[in-house]
């Protein structure tokens, strides 16, 4: 028995020895004299030296330290090195290692049982490579791994991911101005958009410029966004310098995703000469934009603000106070809380997610603002109202651009509040833009509002994106909805001169217009304007002249909830109705500097509200048509007539073109002189001097 036990032990060790002799690592020239049990160490040592001699470490201002490269490769039956996969955090490191690997010499092939075979390896290489360094070996094999991979592909892939420490190899530093080539939204800004429109309005372009906001991808077809960004870059050596002057604060990108984050501010301080008020605004915000794959983009902004405004604007805020005790609504921003000492505390939040199923369609769900038109004002839909929830469908093909907008709005006035909650109403809007020729664009629009009464909710009659709403409104009852129709047009005289216009018809009665009796049913508005780019042959100077005229009772309704407004803010022109105005604007841009000069003159018709005269003269779109002064004899600008003048000069400097942080100074002069002073309007002249540092992601409209 002892003899048998000894024999088995000797046999076992002989088998192990034989097995070891059957397996041999690839052999470099310098390893041929080594014993069999030393070939493995010699192979790794020679391989490290060969790669170190060929590898060229990237030299950058932000040097790459304490990183690694994971490589998976095989040595085939001919002794050639075949690279399978390379992973590294930095693309430059990865590319350098691939080039180094291509310089490896041919070696003696690995063998198994005396026959040439394949051998596969997974190694981790510390970067930068140092003298007398070494690998971290994850695995090696002497089997025909090609055959094994075919049988065990899933197990091998999972094992490799685990061995390669998947988390540490996720790429996050590949951002290369991805935003400028994406379908992300460009925040609405007059000063920012005027340069884009100069390029988009050239004769022969198939661009549609009325529906805003634009996306980066759309603008980039006509205006080179990357070239503009490149021209504005400043030489900065430090990380802080680059983030302050050139880049987004936080930039992340990998193979199939990207996003940027910018903290921001809107800090203003000024002085109102008339009311002797020191004004200020203190906004802290964060703005996020990103994309996942090629079809999904998203964005959001969150703002928390406190402000004290000049006297005329403060009264505007308080006149719009909602039910429930809050002191007012900041136009374009939202409901404000009382911060004490005439200070308003108001938050703003916007956001969207956009899905592009094909190159022709965009589907967007969000909470934000919209603008339709080519003018400074819009008589169709503007960003005068605070952000609201919406779903938007857009299709661009051939010479057409078709937009459908489904929205949810609120009426927050005390007289219409039900069960201590704001009244909900809905709006659906269609806009079709057609480039009829290389110079002429024609647009058609229709919108309908209806209230959420009798548990009506979102009426499915208005979901159809192709329907004519006037007929549906009649079927659901004329007091059950408020429909608007209209036209827009744009004509390019040259590459630099463009004329535009709008016509809005609200409960329009053709017979009343023909009779010419001044019927209250003639509820209409029109706009005409012209833009001159590179005016007076000065590059980047734009001069704009615009005229707007809105008849009394336009945008109002006999069912007062159905006025064309949201949260006590007009959805079209901020003056409501019963007015005319002339606007002259000049905008100039030079590198990062800009200047604005604006003058507005007009006449507005208010309600008298004195001496027992409580009649509705048609200027306040929240009034009821049942209280109108007469069926006929109505004229544009009637009632408590007031002339209006607004002058605005501004100069500024864009600190960071990526985040749109800018510093500015402005002086505003405003004068109004009504026939009668009342709680709504009074004669006054104001000079407001204001300075600020702000992230330009929303328009401020103080000309009201």
């Amino acid at each position: 028995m002892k003899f048998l036990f000894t024999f088995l032990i000797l046999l076992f060790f002989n088998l192990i020895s034989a097995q070891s002799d059957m397996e041999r690592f690839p052999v470099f020239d310098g390893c041929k004299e080594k014993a069999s049990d030393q070939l493995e160490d010699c192979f790794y040592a020679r391989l490290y030296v060969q790669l170190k001699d060929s590898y060229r470490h990237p030299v950058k201002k932000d040097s790459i330290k304490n990183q690694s490269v994971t490589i998976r490769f095989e040595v085939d039956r001919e002794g050639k090195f075949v690279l399978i996969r390379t992973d590294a955090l930095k693309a430059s490191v990865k590319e350098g290692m691939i080039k180094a690997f291509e310089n490896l010499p041919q070696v003696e092939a690995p063998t198994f049982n005396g026959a040439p075979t394949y051998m596969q390896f997974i190694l981790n290489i510390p970067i930068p490579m140092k003298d007398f360094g070494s690998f971290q070996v994850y695995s090696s094999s002497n089997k025909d791994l090609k055959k094994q991979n075919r049988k065990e592909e899933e197990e091998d892939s999972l094992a490799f991911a685990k061995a390669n420490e998947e988390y540490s190899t996720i790429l996050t530093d590949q951002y290369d101005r991805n935003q400028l080539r994406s379908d992300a939204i460009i925040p609405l800004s007059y000063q920012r958009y005027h340069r884009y429109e100069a390029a988009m309005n050239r004769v022969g372009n198939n661009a549609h410029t009325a529906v805003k906001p634009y996306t980066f991808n759309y603008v980039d077809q006509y205006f080179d966004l990357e070239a503009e960004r490149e021209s504005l870059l400043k030489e900065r050596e430090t990380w802080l310098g680059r983030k302050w002057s050139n880049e987004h604060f936080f930039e992340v990108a990998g193979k199939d995703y990207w996003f940027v984050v910018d903290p921001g501010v809107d800090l203003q301080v000024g002085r109102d000469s008339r009311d002797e008020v020191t004004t200020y605004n203190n906004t802290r915000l964060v703005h996020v934009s990103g994309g996942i794959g090629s079809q999904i983009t998203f964005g959001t902004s969150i703002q928390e603000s406190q402000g004290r405004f000049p006297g005329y604007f403060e009264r505007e805020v308080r006149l719009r106070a909602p039910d429930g005790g809050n002191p007012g609504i900041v136009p374009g921003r939202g409901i404000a809380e009382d911060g004490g000492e005439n200070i308003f505390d108001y938050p703003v939040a916007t956001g969207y997610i956009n899905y592009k199923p094909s190159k022709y369609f965009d589907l967007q769900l969000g909470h934000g603002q919209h603008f339709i038109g080519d003018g400074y004002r819009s008589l169709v839909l503007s960003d005068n109202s605070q952000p609201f929830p919406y779903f938007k469908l857009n299709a661009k093909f051939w010479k057409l651009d078709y937009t459908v907008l489904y929205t949810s709005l609120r009426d927050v006035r005390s007289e219409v509040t039900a069960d201590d909650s704001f009244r909900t109403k809905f709006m659906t809007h269609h806009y079709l833009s057609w480039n009829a020729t290389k110079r002429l664009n024609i647009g058609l629009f229709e919108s309908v509002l209806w209230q959420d009464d009798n548990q009506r909710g979102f009426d499915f009659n208005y979901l159809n994106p192709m329907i004519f709403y006037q007929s549906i409104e009649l079927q659901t009852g004329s007091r059950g909805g408020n429909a608007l129709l209209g036209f827009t047009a744009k004509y390019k005289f040259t590459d630099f001169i463009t004329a535009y216009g709008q016509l809005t018809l609200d409960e329009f009665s053709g017979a009343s217009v023909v009779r010419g009796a001044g019927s209250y049913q003639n509820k209409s508005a029109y706009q005409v304007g012209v833009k001159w780019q590179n005016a007076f042959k000065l590059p980047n100077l734009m001069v704009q002249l615009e005229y707007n005229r809105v008849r009394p009772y336009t945008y109002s309704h006999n069912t007062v909830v159905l006025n064309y407004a949201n949260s006590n803010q007009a959805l079209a022109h901020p003056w409501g109705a019963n007015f005319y105005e002339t606007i002259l604007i000049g905008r100039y841009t030079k590198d990062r500097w800009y200047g604005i000069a604006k003058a507005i003159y007009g006449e507005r018709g208010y309600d008298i509200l004195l001496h027992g005269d409580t009649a509705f003269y048609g200027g306040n779109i929240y009034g009821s048509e049942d209280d109108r002064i007469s069926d006929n004899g109505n004229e544009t600008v009637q009632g408590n007539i007031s002339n209006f003048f607004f002058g605005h000069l501004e100069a500024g400097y864009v600190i960071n073109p990526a985040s749109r942080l800018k510093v500015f100074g402005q002086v505003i002069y405003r004068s109004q002189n009504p026939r009668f002073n009342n709680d709504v309007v009074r004669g006054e002249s104001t000079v407001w001097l204001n300075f600020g540092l702000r992230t330009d992601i929303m328009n401020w409209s103080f000309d009201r």
Side-chain angles (χ1 to χ4, degrees):
M1 179 64 70
K2 290 182 178 180
F3 173 78
L4 179 60
F5 182 72
T6 302
F7 174 77
L8 291 174
I9 291 176
L10 291 174
L11 179 62
F12 175 74
F13 281 105
N14 283 333
L15 287 172
I16 293 177
S17 176
Q19 179 68 23
S20 178
D21 290 341
M22 293 169 62
E23 175 185 13
R24 191 187 73 166
F25 265 68
V27 181
F28 281 95
D29 287 343
C31 299
K32 291 182 179 180
E33 304 301 324
K34 299 292 184 181
S36 297
D37 58 354
Q38 297 177 331
L39 287 178
E40 180 177 354
D41 292 339
C42 186
F43 171 78
Y44 287 129
R46 290 286 179 176
L47 179 59
Y48 188 91
V49 171
Q50 292 279 350
L51 289 175
K52 179 182 177 299
D53 290 344
S54 299
Y55 175 68
R56 296 294 177 263
H57 189 57
V59 178
K60 292 186 175 181
K61 295 174 183 177
D62 52 340
S63 59
I64 301 167
K65 299 179 180 178
N66 301 322
Q67 296 197 35
S68 64
V69 182
T70 300
I71 60 173
R72 179 175 183 169
F73 67 94
E74 69 180 16
V75 181
D76 63 16
R77 288 190 177 99
E78 297 178 357
K80 296 178 181 178
F81 287 84
V82 180
L83 185 62
I84 299 174
R85 179 171 172 177
T86 307
D87 286 295
L89 290 177
K90 292 284 186 180
S92 56
V93 172
K94 178 179 177 179
E95 292 171 1
M97 186 55 64
I98 292 173
K99 292 179 180 178
F101 198 89
E102 292 173 350
N103 294 327
L104 290 176
Q106 189 170 346
V107 298
E108 287 188 12
T111 61
F112 184 77
N113 200 20
T117 188
Y118 295 89
M119 184 173 285
Q120 195 171 103
F121 302 84
I122 302 175
L123 307 177
N124 184 267
I125 309 170
I127 298 297
M129 300 182 74
K130 301 178 180 179
D131 293 336
F132 308 108
S134 62
F135 303 113
Q136 181 178 357
V137 180
Y138 286 133
S139 69
S140 62
S141 174
N142 68 322
K143 297 180 181 180
D144 187 343
L145 289 178
K146 285 190 174 181
K147 182 176 179 180
Q148 178 185 355
N149 285 343
R150 289 195 296 268
K151 293 181 179 180
E152 302 177 354
E153 182 177 356
E154 181 178 353
E155 291 81 2
D156 183 69
S157 176
L158 293 173
F160 175 71
K162 181 178 180 180
N164 196 38
E165 300 180 356
E166 182 181 13
Y167 180 85
S168 64
T169 61
I170 295 176
L171 299 178
T172 60
D173 63 344
Q174 306 301 297
Y175 185 81
D176 184 21
R177 303 179 192 171
N178 302 56
Q179 184 186 56
L180 302 182
R181 302 182 297 275
S182 75
D183 290 306
I185 285 177
I186 304 176
L188 272 171
S189 165
Y190 290 123
Q191 187 60 25
R192 191 171 185 176
Y193 272 45
H194 92 89
R195 294 194 67 190
Y196 305 153
E197 291 182 1
M200 298 168 76
N201 279 329
R202 289 173 183 160
V203 176
N205 281 354
N206 193 36
H208 300 265
T209 57
V211 178
K212 303 173 180 73
Y214 302 141
T215 65
F216 287 94
N217 252 341
Y218 190 58
V219 170
D220 196 53
Q221 298 177 47
Y222 310 97
F223 182 88
D224 195 332
L225 293 168
E226 292 203 51
E228 180 197 40
R229 186 69 59 85
E230 189 71 28
S231 70
L232 297 176
L233 292 181
K234 299 289 186 182
E235 288 291 338
R236 295 293 183 264
E237 297 293 332
T238 65
W239 178 89
L240 183 60
R242 295 194 306 273
K243 295 302 176 182
W244 176 254
S245 299
N246 296 329
E247 301 175 0
H248 297 285
F249 181 78
F250 193 57
E251 300 175 338
V252 173
K255 181 180 179 182
D256 295 313
Y257 65 91
W258 67 273
F259 65 90
V260 296
V261 181
D262 287 304
V265 295
D266 186 354
L267 307 176
Q268 303 179 32
V269 61
R271 183 71 177 174
D272 173 8
S273 66
R274 185 192 184 285
D275 289 273
E276 297 184 348
V277 173
T278 297
T279 65
Y280 79 89
N281 189 76
N282 176 17
T283 297
R284 293 83 59 205
L285 65 89
V286 61
H287 183 68
V288 180
S289 183
I292 302 173
S294 61
Q295 296 178 298
I296 297 176
T297 50
F298 59 88
T300 185
S301 67
I302 301 173
Q303 305 178 46
E304 177 60 35
S305 306
Q306 294 80 39
R308 181 192 292 126
F309 302 108
Y312 81 90
F313 198 80
E314 178 194 334
R315 289 187 286 278
E316 181 89 7
V317 172
R318 294 189 182 279
L319 281 171
R320 302 179 186 282
D323 183 56
N326 287 313
I329 294 177
V330 180
R333 297 304 192 265
I335 294 176
E337 297 179 344
D338 189 352
E341 299 180 352
N342 295 325
I343 296 171
F344 298 98
D345 190 331
Y346 60 98
V348 183
T350 64
Y352 72 93
I353 182 167
N354 190 86
Y355 173 60
K356 193 176 186 66
S358 73
K359 70 177 183 178
Y360 301 110
F361 293 95
D362 285 273
L363 307 176
Q364 189 175 114
L365 180 67
H367 186 92
Q369 296 174 311
H370 306 268
F371 191 99
I372 295 180
D374 288 286
Y376 175 70
R377 308 286 201 189
S378 175
L379 306 181
V380 178
L381 180 64
S382 77
D383 60 342
N384 176 67
S385 163
Q386 70 187 62
F388 49 79
Y390 68 89
F391 176 75
K392 183 169 78 171
L393 184 153
N394 178 259
K396 291 184 177 72
F397 58 94
W398 189 52
K399 303 174 184 179
L400 301 177
D401 183 352
Y402 188 57
T403 300
V404 180
L405 195 64
Y406 304 104
T407 71
S408 176
L409 309 172
R410 295 288 185 272
D411 195 318
V412 300
R413 293 171 296 147
S414 300
E415 55 267 37
V416 298
T417 299
D419 301 324
D420 296 324
S421 62
F422 298 145
R423 292 287 291 274
T424 298
K425 58 184 176 183
F426 302 99
M427 180 181 72
T428 299
H429 187 95
H430 295 166
Y431 181 74
L432 175 64
S433 174
W434 173 41
N435 285 329
T437 73
K438 66 180 182 179
R439 296 179 184 270
L440 177 64
N441 172 273
I442 297 173
L444 305 174
F445 75 88
E446 60 175 352
S447 63
V448 65
L449 295 94
W450 69 97
Q451 59 182 322
D452 184 18
D453 56 352
N454 299 322
Q455 298 182 339
R456 183 179 181 184
F458 196 98
D459 195 327
F460 281 84
N461 287 296
Y462 299 118
L463 277 179
N464 189 335
M466 305 300 292
I467 204 165
F468 183 63
Y469 286 149
Q470 191 72 26
S471 60
I472 295 298
E473 184 196 13
L474 293 174
Q475 294 174 19
T476 57
S478 61
R479 287 179 176 258
N482 181 14
L484 287 84
L485 303 172
F487 310 90
T488 68
K490 179 179 69 178
Y491 189 81
K492 308 172 190 176
F493 290 100
T494 70
D495 284 344
F496 305 112
I497 300 177
T498 303
Y500 59 89
Q502 293 183 341
L503 174 63
T504 298
L505 307 175
D506 179 12
E507 305 290 341
F508 184 75
S509 173
S512 299
V513 173
V514 172
R515 286 197 303 270
S519 170
Y520 82 97
Q521 292 180 309
N522 181 6
K523 299 164 60 177
S524 61
Y526 71 86
Q527 173 189 90
V528 291
V530 62
K531 291 180 180 178
W532 183 14
Q533 307 288 352
N534 294 346
F536 308 107
K537 298 183 179 180
L538 184 60
N540 300 320
L541 172 63
M542 187 276 290
V543 176
Q544 181 177 6
L545 179 64
E546 181 174 301
Y547 179 80
N548 296 292
R549 190 177 189 93
V550 182
R551 283 188 55 80
Y553 307 108
T554 307
Y555 306 121
S556 62
H557 198 265
N558 45 28
T559 302
V560 292
V561 177
L562 297 181
N563 50 66
Y564 199 60
N566 173 46
S567 296
N568 288 358
Q569 301 153 83
L571 286 170
H573 198 292
W575 293 5
N578 194 23
F579 70 86
Y580 72 83
E581 70 169 344
T582 302
I583 304 172
L584 178 63
I585 303 175
R587 299 185 188 275
Y588 179 68
T589 303
K590 176 65 175 177
D591 300 325
R592 296 191 181 201
W593 294 94
Y594 74 91
I596 303 171
K598 176 167 57 179
I600 301 175
Y601 177 80
E603 285 193 346
R604 305 171 63 174
Y606 297 89
D607 294 335
I608 294 177
L609 303 178
L610 293 172
H611 314 300
D613 187 348
T614 59
F616 178 33
Y617 285 86
N620 177 13
I621 65 174
Y622 313 102
S624 171
E625 296 171 3
D626 294 337
D627 299 326
R628 60 187 178 271
I629 57 171
S630 66
D631 291 344
N632 298 304
N634 295 283
E635 298 178 351
T636 302
V637 190
Q638 62 184 11
N640 187 11
I641 300 173
S642 174
N643 56 24
F644 178 93
F645 180 79
F646 184 91
H648 174 202
L649 292 175
E650 179 177 328
Y653 179 80
V654 177
I655 297 172
N656 187 325
S659 65
R660 304 306 296 182
L661 179 68
K662 68 180 184 181
V663 60
F664 69 93
Q666 63 182 192
V667 58
I668 289 174
Y669 174 77
R670 180 184 183 273
S671 175
Q672 195 164 14
N673 186 26
R675 292 180 180 176
F676 308 100
N677 289 329
N678 55 39
D679 293 338
V680 174
V681 60
R682 70 187 192 187
E684 59 184 354
S685 295
T686 300
V687 176
W688 180 30
L689 187 63
N690 194 35
F691 300 92
L693 174 72
R694 68 182 299 246
T695 304
D696 192 10
I697 60 172
M698 294 181 76
N699 286 318
W700 271 112
S701 296
F702 294 112
D703 46 8
R704 54 185 63 241

